[in-house]
Amino acid sequence: MIVIADDLDRDARNNAESGISSSQTAILVFVPLFLLIGLSTLLYISSSVVRRLKTLTTSVEQIGEHFVPSEEVMRESGGHMDEVDVLVEKTRIVNNKLNDWEQELHEKNEELIRSKKLAAIGTLASGVAHELNNPINNITISAQVLQRKIAGDAPPEVTQIVDEIIGQTLRVKGIVSNLLEFAREREPQLSTVQLPEVVRNAYEQVIRSTDTMDVEFTLDTRDEISIRADAGQLERVFINLFSNAVAVMEGKGRLTVKMEEEDGSVVIWVSDTGKGLSREDQEKIFDPFFTRREKGTGLGLAIVMNIIRQHGGGITVVSEKGMGTVFEIHLPKGAD
Amino acid sequence: MTFRVLVAEDEEIARKHILDTLEAEGYEVEGADNGLDALREIEADEFDLLIADIKMPKMDGLELLERVRQVSPGTKVIVVTGYGSINSAVTAMKEGAYDYLPKPFDLDELVLKINKARERKSL
Ligand SMILES: Nc1ncnc2c1ncn2[C@@H]1O[C@H](COP(=O)(O)OP(=O)(O)OP(=O)(O)O)[C@@H](O)[C@H]1O
Ligand SMILES: [Mg+2]
């Protein structure tokens, strides 16, 4: 019984031992094999990654080199940079530039839309204005004939109504001529004009149509500043600015014009002591049809802007609510 | 002395009122509602003065002015322009117009201009 058990035991142990030795052989063979396969796969993958990274690096380098040469980046960093740092720095710079460009593109686009919109408004305005010419003329003439017919023997309120009709047609006439002035992209007819004279003429025109009794007008300038410009259009610019100022000051305050020559150009400041402009309004005042006045058409400053631009100049506004307003105009003097 | 005025204006209301007003002022008047008819009138008859709207069917005021200068140099021409047509007013004056009047105009102003033209003739 026991002998049989011993035999069985030995058999089993032999079996087990041969099993162990064969699996040892397997380990000896397969582990290095797998290791080899694994390593070479890894090597393959990593070398392909490195190769691609290199390509990427080269293209980033090329883009970067286009914007900022490596030497410059190195110089600015004081030379404490390895290649990767330079690359990172360059990517940052490129990124910044792209952002700037996007911003610029956006602004240009807005400007384009604005000028297209203005052109469209201009075409429409001029079409409407021309169509209005005849009906307004008819109304005015009819009212004038009526006025002549009833002269002397109509009840006062009838005479008054007829006068009102005529007054209102004059108002429409004003709006229509503003519309046309705005719509008309007339090339300036250049001649040599004396700026102070234009300014004085413009103010005289404003005096004629508005109450300026309590406005103190000052023109601070050398006697002669001449530029090449369209005299009529420039006068329009100052008439519009002055009548705005007088309106805002409600006929009481100081209106000052100052001008200085810089080489090749003239700077003109028109300032008033009116109620000023909110930041929000400052952005909009040059838009056509923007107005805060009950009887305004909102075209005055749009016309001003058009004329100044056509002369190759610029106009900006500085104001603070309650502190008055200053318009600054730059105009090239033009060839003489 | 009679002073004959032709009014070339396609807008009926304006034409009628101008004619009535001038008639009341003692002028002898005729009307035409387009440039071509106005030219025919002037070729057929004598007029001292022509009031011509710039914008008219068939023949515009500027062309009418040019033709009238040729066929009847003695006829003075007052051109009526729309707004924003300062340029056409300037052209008209260069082409020999006697005067111009921008729309919408004052009837008194028109009468004044015509009175002056008549005074000149009687001198
Ligand atoms: N000097 C100023 N001070 C304060 N606000 C001003 C001044 N000039 C213009 N503004 C504001 O800007 C708006 C636009 O001015 P703009 O001349 O374009 O049109 P308007 O005067 O309203 O009408 P319009 O000139 O066509 O009769 C005005 O309604 C006013 O609110
Ligand atoms: Mg204004």
Side-chain angles (χ1 to χ4, degrees):
Chain A
M1 228 356 223
I2 291 169
V3 173
I4 291 171
D6 266 359
D7 276 354
L8 278 175
D9 198 27
R10 200 178 310 123
D11 273 355
R13 205 172 299 154
N14 280 346
N15 261 345
E17 258 165 24
S18 82
I20 286 169
S21 94
S22 70
S23 62
Q24 269 174 344
T25 324
I27 287 172
L28 274 178
V29 175
F30 283 117
V31 167
L33 192 67
F34 282 139
L35 210 65
L36 204 68
I37 292 173
L39 272 178
S40 54
T41 316
L42 197 70
L43 202 70
Y44 173 75
I45 291 175
S46 71
S47 79
S48 117
V49 167
V50 167
R51 190 158 29 83
R52 289 189 185 184
L53 265 181
K54 272 203 175 136
T55 320
L56 181 67
T57 310
T58 324
S59 17
V60 174
E61 274 284 333
Q62 277 169 355
I63 299 173
E65 207 61 29
H66 183 70
F67 294 105
V68 263
S70 304
E71 307 88 69
E72 206 174 289
V73 178
M74 293 289 275
R75 196 171 346 108
E76 269 172 30
S77 70
H80 303 302
M81 281 181 138
D82 63 17
E83 270 175 34
V84 177
D85 288 338
V86 172
L87 201 62
V88 169
E89 180 61 8
K90 276 189 181 180
T91 318
R92 196 187 59 78
I93 294 174
V94 171
N95 197 28
N96 282 350
K97 293 233 170 169
L98 285 178
N99 280 340
D100 288 352
W101 282 356
E102 196 186 351
Q103 175 77 15
E104 206 177 304
L105 196 67
H106 182 73
E107 277 163 18
K108 286 262 156 66
N109 203 22
E110 295 266 290
E111 207 179 298
L112 193 70
I113 290 173
R114 191 185 124 92
S115 72
K116 275 195 171 171
K117 216 161 84 183
L118 281 185
I121 293 174
T123 313
L124 182 69
S126 122
V128 169
H130 279 293
E131 284 313 310
L132 285 179
N133 260 337
N134 280 326
I136 298 170
N137 195 44
N138 290 342
I139 296 172
T140 319
I141 291 182
S142 300
Q144 287 174 50
V145 169
L146 192 58
Q147 198 179 36
R148 283 162 167 254
K149 290 232 157 90
I150 62 173
D153 38 48
E157 71 258 35
V158 174
T159 317
Q160 195 197 330
I161 290 171
V162 175
D163 288 350
E164 278 165 8
I165 294 176
I166 293 174
Q168 290 306 300
T169 56
L170 286 182
R171 189 171 151 204
V172 179
K173 172 184 166 176
I175 296 174
V176 171
S177 71
N178 263 354
L179 270 178
L180 276 169
E181 185 70 42
F182 165 70
R184 185 175 44 193
E185 288 268 317
R186 192 159 58 87
E187 279 288 305
Q189 309 281 310
L190 300 183
S191 63
T192 303
V193 297
Q194 289 294 338
L195 266 185
E197 194 184 315
V198 172
V199 168
R200 261 182 235 114
N201 287 345
Y203 191 65
E204 260 159 40
Q205 297 241 25
V206 174
I207 291 176
R208 249 179 265 155
S209 58
T210 332
D211 179 15
T212 52
M213 275 286 281
D214 293 316
V215 175
E216 190 186 312
F217 177 75
T218 327
L219 174 55
D220 176 0
T221 174
R222 267 188 30 217
D223 285 344
E224 295 215 333
I225 295 184
S226 64
I227 66 170
R228 296 284 294 171
D230 185 312
Q233 290 188 348
L234 272 197
E235 194 173 295
R236 172 54 49 197
V237 165
F238 291 109
I239 290 176
N240 289 5
L241 290 176
F242 295 166
S243 52
N244 281 346
V246 171
V248 168
M249 297 191 295
E250 289 166 344
K252 194 171 193 304
R254 283 193 311 279
L255 175 57
T256 313
V257 180
K258 194 169 175 267
M259 48 181 90
E260 264 171 28
E261 281 174 292
E262 284 175 1
D263 41 10
S265 69
V266 181
V267 194
I268 307 154
W269 295 270
V270 177
S271 46
D272 64 57
T273 54
K275 61 180 191 291
L277 279 157
S278 69
R279 195 151 281 279
E280 213 188 345
D281 281 3
Q282 284 175 45
E283 310 226 320
K284 297 192 210 132
I285 53 169
F286 293 105
D287 291 349
F289 306 112
F290 173 81
T291 181
R292 291 238 180 266
R293 296 201 295 127
E294 207 168 298
K295 287 189 178 170
T297 53
L299 287 173
L301 289 177
I303 293 170
V304 166
M305 176 66 100
N306 272 0
I307 295 176
I308 300 283
R309 280 205 176 151
Q310 277 180 11
H311 279 80
I315 178 167
T316 49
V317 62
V318 181
S319 177
E320 216 166 290
K321 221 167 164 45
M323 302 289 283
T325 304
V326 184
F327 286 91
E328 183 176 316
I329 301 171
H330 287 255
L331 281 173
K333 289 180 77 175
D336 233 322
Chain B
M1 183 179 51
T2 57
F3 193 84
R4 306 198 68 220
V5 181
L6 176 65
V7 179
E9 161 71 70
D10 58 322
E11 288 281 326
E12 197 190 334
I13 294 181
R15 188 176 64 247
K16 188 185 76 194
H17 286 318
I18 296 172
L19 288 174
D20 286 353
T21 309
L22 293 184
E23 205 160 25
E25 294 281 330
Y27 291 98
E28 217 171 89
V29 292
E30 289 290 338
D33 67 1
N34 67 72
L36 204 57
D37 283 359
L39 183 64
R40 299 225 167 97
E41 292 260 4
I42 285 183
E43 282 169 342
D45 225 337
E46 268 196 23
F47 286 95
D48 298 291
L49 187 95
L50 163 69
I51 297 168
D53 193 14
I54 283 266
K55 244 174 72 183
M56 274 190 296
K58 292 185 187 166
M59 183 187 287
D60 69 22
L62 285 179
E63 195 183 340
L64 177 60
L65 166 69
E66 210 184 307
R67 304 287 287 271
V68 169
R69 299 299 299 153
Q70 293 162 4
V71 302
S72 174
T75 306
K76 293 190 169 72
V77 183
I78 294 180
V79 175
V80 179
T81 62
Y83 293 129
S85 332
I86 292 299
N87 285 346
S88 46
V90 171
T91 315
M93 294 307 285
K94 276 189 194 150
E95 292 288 327
Y98 168 73
D99 209 340
Y100 74 93
L101 211 57
K103 272 184 185 178
F105 55 81
D106 205 24
L107 270 182
D108 291 334
E109 212 180 316
L110 179 68
V111 170
L112 215 73
K113 289 196 173 184
I114 300 177
N115 285 348
K116 271 203 189 128
R118 176 165 59 181
E119 277 164 30
R120 274 209 191 173
K121 190 198 170 191
S122 56
L123 280 180

